[in-house]
Amino acid sequence: MSGERLLMSGDDAVALAALHAGVRLGTGYPGTPSTEILETFDRLGGRAQWSPNEKVALEVGMGTAFAGARTLVTMKHVGLNVAADPLFTAAYTDIEGGLVLVSADDPGMASSQNEQDNRHYARAAALPMLEPIDSQQAYDFTWLGLEISERWKIPVILRLTTRVCHSKTAVVPRDSADEMAEPRFERDIPARVMIPAYAKPAHHRLRQKLAEIADWNEQDGPNRLDEGKAELGIVATGIAAVHAREAAPEARQLTIGLTYPLPLDRIRAFAEGVERLVVVEEGDPVLVDALRAAGIPAEGKPEMYRFGELNVERVRRILAGDTSPEPIPPKGKPPELCQGCSHRTVFQALRDLDCIVAGDIGCYTLGVLPPFSAMDTCVCMGASIGVGLGMRHVLPEDQARRVVSVIGDSTFVHSGITGIAEMVYNPPATGHLVLILDNGTTAMTGQQEHPGTGRLLDHSPTGKISFEALAESMGVQNVHVVESSAGEEGLKTLIAELLAKPETSLVVTRQPCVLAAPKIRFYEKAAAEQLAAEKGCAAEPAG
Ligand SMILES: Cc1ncc(C[n+]2csc(CCOP(=O)(O)OP(=O)(O)O)c2C)c(N)n1
Ligand code: SF4
């Protein structure tokens, strides 16, 4: 395949590079625009698994890297918030196998609850960050990230954005890596056990590593100079660099690939050779602030361009200093729950009962829109239970009794279980009610499996968490499962009864997502056939 020109998305390019570079394990949690990376890696023959959430995915990745194997960990930008605890201390440790952590950011919020700029994490956690501009660089930087990671024994963040993840551009892959040594654990306690006695020198080591990487970046880093007229110099990163080339092809442009730690001497020399220096970057003014802090005078973009994605036209406006109002894009059709979606019944019941609904993230967040308008809060994955409990604790009784927390099955496994621990441990005087909307899949991100479905990433059977058994074992007082056949009236009656009780209650509403149902039936049939075949084999010697 080496030398062949392939048209592929940035996500697929990362997966292909991981395969060619000998990544032993890919872990992650689904989230647009990162989800396809592990799915493609699996399809190509790599070993990929969904973790219950991003923190666990990174921890599993750290374990494989400690064991000397190359690892890819994927998540969307907000997933890095969940993984931030291991991330910051992982930076202090020495890893053996290369570890690349993909943070897929979503400027413009095509499918996210915020547009946080994860470049801040590179500086905050002190980890090198690579930012590709297209699929070729997504491929190349995955390899490079693994190499940097192994050379300096440090995890590397590969920051993608929606356009790079999903746009298809040409990729010329290289030869696969030579056969790599088998993973083997070599004990190095001071480098891996972060008690203060070892963490203090580890922090010094980390700063030393970064200084060395910055030096390397000055000379050999993946930074590109496009010659042009000295009147206008542009420093850019990521997809914004592509827009800038098109908006101002006559300009001299320095495109930075390793954006943390920055090659500041190189940028300073570039700045000295141009009459006007403009930083073109999507999102927050991260790069321009870093340049100014280093004493390099640079123009940034007006505040209005901090919001949403950039494009060629917006970059033209930035370069012209144009702050006039931008044309308003035509409104698309608002999204809605599919016809026949099981979430509809739940939100009809909640609306009819005039509940105060602490909501969560998934397809069911659409319950906030008409005709239901039956969701009152939604912050981040898993927040529904804590937020509902907080309201229950302080609201007057008549309102507190109407509060319900609503959470999807994948979201429950991701970060809802600790909410149940909180409910059992600090129960409000009026009790509380949690609804798990179990549609048998992670519908919102494209029907991924999770530990509650009993199937692995490739849909083959594995262990399955029973939500009802879990809730009972944790001490929830009333646990019910409502199958689809109960209908809206049955569900309404049950919710009303439970709201009247000053006890903790959990209801699992179980009905497959209508879009996923045929596939779920197919996987279940395949699993049953496999089981029967295995039993048949086992039975043979006896017979
Ligand atoms: C920390 C974090 N990780 C990932 C996502 C992407 N995401 C949003 S909702 C969701 C799960 C939805 O599945 P589920 O709870 O089962 O609800 P459904 O869509 O099936 O109704 C995911 C993975 C996110 N918003 N935040
Ligand atoms: S994809 Fe599934 S869960 Fe999402 S709205 Fe449609 S039927 Fe409902």
Side-chain angles (χ1 to χ4, degrees):
M1 194 186 275
S2 118
E4 202 182 335
R5 229 170 121 83
L6 307 166
L7 188 66
M8 57 172 59
S9 69
D11 278 352
D12 287 352
V14 171
L16 186 66
L19 190 82
H20 289 170
V23 162
R24 289 266 179 162
L25 183 64
T27 64
Y29 182 74
T32 310
S34 70
T35 313
E36 296 89 333
I37 300 173
L38 285 190
E39 291 177 331
T40 303
F41 187 55
D42 171 68
R43 216 174 30 250
L44 294 172
R47 180 169 171 200
Q49 26 188 79
W50 293 129
S51 292
N53 67 28
E54 295 85 353
K55 177 177 186 289
V56 177
L58 177 55
E59 289 156 352
V60 173
M62 289 302 298
T64 58
F66 287 150
R70 288 191 162 180
T71 307
L72 182 71
V73 182
T74 70
M75 58 196 67
K76 71 181 283 154
H77 61 337
V78 283
L80 202 48
N81 303 335
V82 179
D85 197 6
L87 181 80
F88 277 63
T89 306
Y92 282 31
T93 63
D94 281 358
I95 54 173
E96 272 313 301
L99 189 152
V100 166
L101 185 155
V102 175
S103 163
D105 292 15
D106 190 13
M109 293 179 275
S111 187
S112 305
Q113 69 266 37
N114 74 22
E115 57 181 338
Q116 73 183 48
D117 185 332
N118 277 4
R119 290 180 297 166
H120 294 292
Y121 269 115
R123 182 161 184 265
L127 287 173
M129 176 172 274
L130 289 158
E131 291 188 70
I133 62 170
D134 58 15
S135 302
Q136 180 68 62
Q137 283 200 346
Y139 179 89
D140 293 338
F141 286 7
T142 303
W143 273 90
L144 180 61
L146 290 164
E147 287 157 3
I148 293 173
S149 178
E150 282 170 3
R151 178 166 170 193
W152 280 283
K153 295 176 177 280
I154 189 170
V156 170
I157 303 174
L158 181 69
R159 177 180 180 257
L160 309 177
T161 52
T162 309
R163 292 286 143 178
V164 175
C165 289
H166 289 163
S167 304
K168 288 190 175 180
T169 58
V171 173
V172 180
R174 34 165 155 156
D175 290 332
S176 294
D178 295 335
E179 197 66 22
M180 257 170 287
E182 282 301 304
R184 229 192 115 65
F185 186 70
E186 301 291 342
R187 178 164 292 142
D188 188 353
I189 291 173
R192 310 247 175 78
V193 182
M194 287 305 123
I195 57 171
Y198 297 142
K200 284 175 190 170
H203 188 192
H204 288 276
R205 275 202 310 279
L206 170 62
R207 295 295 157 187
Q208 181 58 34
K209 288 179 190 181
L210 284 177
E212 288 173 22
I213 295 169
D215 280 350
W216 172 83
N217 199 14
E218 296 283 1
Q219 305 303 325
D220 302 312
N223 310 303
R224 197 175 87 186
L225 177 69
D226 286 298
E227 288 298 351
K229 293 188 183 148
E231 281 94 327
L232 176 61
I234 293 175
V235 178
T237 59
I239 191 73
V242 180
H243 300 323
R245 281 314 290 152
E246 201 175 329
E250 73 291 351
R252 192 175 297 174
Q253 182 170 321
L254 183 61
T255 302
I256 311 292
L258 184 73
T259 57
Y260 189 83
L262 283 169
L264 284 171
D265 290 344
R266 185 150 184 206
I267 298 172
R268 189 172 283 109
F270 177 82
E272 282 163 3
V274 295
E275 289 163 29
R276 178 185 172 214
L277 183 71
V278 182
V279 172
V280 178
E281 58 186 325
E282 211 167 47
D284 294 344
V286 176
L287 183 56
V288 74
D289 283 355
L291 265 52
R292 286 173 182 159
I296 302 170
E299 280 176 46
K301 57 187 181 188
E303 180 68 3
M304 62 189 281
Y305 300 107
R306 179 186 200 137
F307 308 97
E309 285 186 296
L310 292 183
N311 54 34
V312 177
E313 183 48 35
R314 294 190 93 198
V315 172
R316 278 200 191 104
R317 289 170 63 103
I318 289 170
L319 295 175
D322 184 349
T323 54
S324 63
E326 296 181 88
I328 299 166
K331 268 200 177 147
K333 189 172 165 287
E336 59 174 359
L337 292 168
C338 302
Q339 291 306 320
C341 174
S342 51
H343 298 331
R344 285 179 170 264
T345 319
V346 176
F347 286 105
Q348 269 153 18
L350 293 169
R351 181 198 55 195
D352 294 353
L353 291 165
D354 193 22
C355 290
I356 297 171
V357 180
D360 225 300
I361 307 194
C363 273
Y364 52 95
T365 314
L366 291 172
V368 69
L369 298 178
F372 312 104
S373 306
M375 190 174 287
D376 297 287
T377 69
C378 173
V379 184
C380 66
M381 285 188 78
S384 57
I385 302 179
V387 169
L389 289 167
M391 289 200 281
R392 282 258 184 177
H393 285 310
V394 297
L395 283 174
E397 188 175 341
D398 62 317
Q399 285 201 319
R401 286 199 172 284
R402 289 162 43 211
V403 178
V404 179
S405 294
V406 172
I407 188 164
D409 48 343
S410 187
T411 305
F412 179 71
V413 180
H414 177 278
S415 45
I417 298 172
T418 43
I420 299 297
E422 168 71 9
M423 177 169 83
V424 171
Y425 185 54
N426 292 309
T430 57
H432 189 46
L433 171 60
V434 174
L435 301 185
I436 301 180
L437 311 192
D438 183 2
N439 60 2
T441 189
T442 315
M444 185 171 185
T445 46
Q447 303 169 6
Q448 288 74 33
E449 307 291 353
H450 60 74
T453 68
R455 286 179 297 276
L456 295 169
L457 183 145
D458 67 0
H459 312 292
S460 61
T462 184
K464 175 175 178 164
I465 294 178
S466 157
F467 302 144
E468 48 276 29
L470 179 69
E472 271 165 11
S473 71
M474 289 178 81
V476 178
Q477 288 159 304
N478 308 296
V479 178
H480 295 262
V481 177
V482 176
E483 304 285 346
S484 46
S485 51
E488 193 201 331
E489 281 312 311
L491 182 65
K492 224 158 78 178
T493 309
L494 178 64
I495 293 175
E497 271 172 23
L498 295 172
L499 288 177
K501 292 186 182 180
E503 293 169 358
T504 54
S505 306
L506 182 138
V507 176
V508 182
T509 62
R510 188 158 284 145
Q511 182 181 347
C513 155
V514 288
L515 297 192
K519 288 185 209 159
I520 294 175
R521 279 196 296 274
F522 174 79
Y523 304 139
E524 284 175 349
K525 192 164 166 254
E529 282 168 5
Q530 191 189 329
L531 194 68
E534 281 166 10
K535 276 192 180 153
C537 292
E540 253 176 34

